[in-house]
Amino acid sequence: MFSWTPSRSRRGRTATAKEILWQAILLVAIACLVGGAIWNASRSLSQQGVASGFGFLAHTAGFDISQSLIPFRAVSTYGRAFLVGLLNTVGVTVIAIPLATVLGFIIGISRRSPNWLLSRVAAAYVEVFRNTPLLLQLLFWYNAVLAALPAKALESLHFGNLIYLNRRGLALPRPVFQDFGAAWLVVAAAVASLVCLTMHFSKIRRAKTGRSFPVFSANLLIIFGLPLAFYVTVILVTGRSPMQFDMPVMGRFSVDGGLQLLPEFVALLIGLVFYTASSIAEVVRSGLAAVPKGQYEAARAVHLPPGKIMRKVILPQAIRVIIPPLTNQYLNLLKNSSLAVAIGYPDLVQIFAGTVLNQTGQAVEIVFMTMAIYLAISLLTASGMNLYNHRITTVEN
């Protein structure tokens, strides 16, 4: 008896058509739900007489911000206040991530140290800071440590005439680029380009000859040597310094000049660095433990010193295990920075989702913008780390 069955390609096309149909139905359902929620929210706001839309961003803010990376006054707009909060959040995050990474790697490697005292101290650090809520740590640094500093400027803790620390904050030398700001940007771009070229050259050389290239030493020479060469060249040619420093000066009632950092910023930075470093240390320890013991033994057999074993043999293999959970710690640091509102640091949440929301009452737009910013920064960070992880991962055939 003759029977007909569809070919495999036709069955595949039928299955694909069904999948596309179900996905289209799901997208339409999601769009209807989101559209309905937006329509209901708009109708409820209009019935209550609450304005909607993003026109409020052009209105005058009417309040001051204690610390901002860009000029801000009471006559500035809510949009500029949003930008100030965003820059303050990004600024503390960008500073905290490398500090927490360096400290975390030091603590994590110390936990694997054969020195009993060093490994126990590192373990105690991890257990104390990782198992204590970050909010309590921020309150401790702000209310217990910084509040105990001298209140008078003349009694400030100081390191020479460069750094002053008191209850009002931290004063540091502030670089002033004068008329050479654009030239310094060109130098920075040249340094970044040369570093990338050096890494690319090292990769090609290793693939072709199997020989390594001193990337670390070469990059250090580029990072410090090129700006120094530019600095000396400008002085020799123009007779002027392309960069000067605005030094903090001890006044009668306060420390004037320099770069003034609020105590809230200092407490937030210390809290984020110490707390995140404890989690990074555990990530590093687990990554080192994932390297087979035979690698240690083989490196010792060829009489490599312990430092070179760690740099050349163990860390390059462990880093492939470390990067994925390390990305999570970076994202947690960014999101944990929103706890700055507890100690009064003017970050995005404190300024925009706090003061601006209270003044305008436009909760939907403000909360949506705040969440979108955190989501965008998190996705960019994760994408960069995933790209780096993809480049260092060994592809096994």
Side-chain angles (χ1 to χ4, degrees):
M1 185 176 181
F2 176 77
S3 63
W4 176 83
T5 57
S7 64
R8 181 176 299 178
S9 60
R10 185 164 183 174
R11 288 198 302 269
R13 288 196 298 269
T14 304
T16 303
K18 289 182 179 179
E19 293 174 356
I20 294 176
L21 178 61
W22 281 112
Q23 292 176 8
I25 293 174
L26 180 61
L27 288 176
V28 171
I30 293 175
C32 291
L33 289 175
V34 172
I38 294 175
W39 182 77
N40 287 330
S42 300
R43 187 180 63 175
S44 299
L45 291 175
S46 61
Q47 290 176 352
Q48 297 175 11
V50 178
S52 60
F54 297 94
F56 72 96
L57 294 174
H59 297 168
T60 301
F63 60 87
D64 292 322
I65 299 176
S66 55
Q67 179 171 314
S68 62
L69 297 178
I70 59 175
F72 184 87
R73 297 178 299 171
V75 295
S76 300
T77 62
Y78 289 128
R80 194 168 184 83
F82 168 79
L83 184 59
V84 169
L86 172 60
L87 292 177
N88 286 348
T89 296
V90 173
V92 72
T93 303
V94 169
I95 297 175
I97 283 179
L99 294 178
T101 302
V102 172
L103 181 59
F105 268 78
I106 293 174
I107 299 298
I109 294 174
S110 299
R111 291 206 63 184
R112 302 277 300 179
S113 173
N115 187 306
W116 182 87
L117 179 60
L118 182 61
S119 62
R120 295 283 77 80
V121 170
Y125 172 91
V126 171
E127 296 302 326
V128 169
F129 284 94
R130 191 180 61 160
N131 296 309
T132 308
L134 176 58
L135 180 59
L136 292 181
Q137 294 186 34
L138 294 179
L139 295 175
F140 168 77
W141 292 113
Y142 184 65
N143 294 320
V145 176
L146 294 181
L149 293 175
K152 298 180 180 179
L154 296 176
E155 299 175 356
S156 299
L157 303 178
H158 61 90
F159 303 90
N161 294 324
L162 301 177
I163 301 175
Y164 294 89
L165 179 63
N166 55 42
R167 195 178 301 178
R168 296 184 179 182
L170 179 66
L172 303 170
R174 181 172 63 90
V176 180
F177 298 101
Q178 296 182 347
D179 300 330
F180 296 90
W184 279 111
L185 291 177
V186 174
V187 172
V191 168
S193 301
L194 290 176
V195 167
C196 293
L197 288 175
T198 302
M199 296 175 65
H200 184 65
F201 171 76
S202 174
K203 184 178 180 180
I204 294 176
R205 179 181 179 180
R206 182 172 297 165
K208 289 184 177 181
T209 65
R211 300 174 60 185
S212 61
F213 181 78
V215 178
F216 182 76
S217 301
N219 285 341
L220 279 182
L221 181 61
I222 293 172
I223 293 173
F224 293 101
L226 188 59
L228 180 61
F230 171 74
Y231 184 86
V232 174
T233 302
V234 171
I235 292 179
L236 294 177
V237 173
T238 65
R240 293 191 304 161
S241 173
M243 181 176 65
Q244 296 182 354
F245 288 92
D246 180 15
M247 306 299 295
V249 178
M250 176 73 71
R252 183 177 180 182
F253 300 103
S254 63
V255 178
D256 302 321
L259 178 62
Q260 303 287 338
L261 301 178
L262 294 177
E264 293 82 4
F265 174 85
V266 177
L268 177 63
L269 182 63
I270 295 175
L272 288 175
V273 169
F274 279 35
Y275 179 80
T276 308
S278 63
S279 298
I280 292 178
E282 280 298 280
V283 171
V284 173
R285 184 191 63 82
S286 62
L288 296 177
V291 179
K293 292 183 64 176
Q295 299 294 322
Y296 291 91
E297 296 170 356
R300 292 194 195 101
V302 296
H303 304 290
L304 286 177
K308 185 168 288 188
I309 292 176
M310 182 60 65
R311 295 196 314 270
K312 300 293 186 179
V313 179
I314 306 304
L315 273 181
Q317 299 180 68
I319 198 68
R320 295 193 291 268
V321 182
I322 292 173
I323 290 299
L326 184 63
T327 303
N328 293 333
Q329 298 307 321
Y330 289 167
L331 300 181
N332 288 336
L333 189 151
L334 168 65
K335 291 177 285 188
N336 288 337
S337 67
S338 61
L339 293 175
V341 67
I343 57 176
Y345 176 70
D347 72 326
L348 181 62
V349 174
Q350 198 268 347
I351 295 175
F352 198 62
T355 305
V356 176
L357 175 59
N358 292 333
Q359 290 188 359
T360 62
Q362 298 193 226
V364 175
E365 294 84 354
I366 291 176
V367 172
F368 171 78
M369 290 179 63
T370 305
M371 293 177 61
I373 285 296
Y374 277 101
L375 177 61
I377 298 176
S378 298
L379 291 177
L380 287 175
T381 304
S383 299
M385 293 297 294
N386 291 337
L387 179 62
Y388 177 71
N389 185 47
H390 176 73
R391 293 190 60 180
I392 66 173
T393 300
T394 301
V395 180
E396 298 180 359
N397 296 325

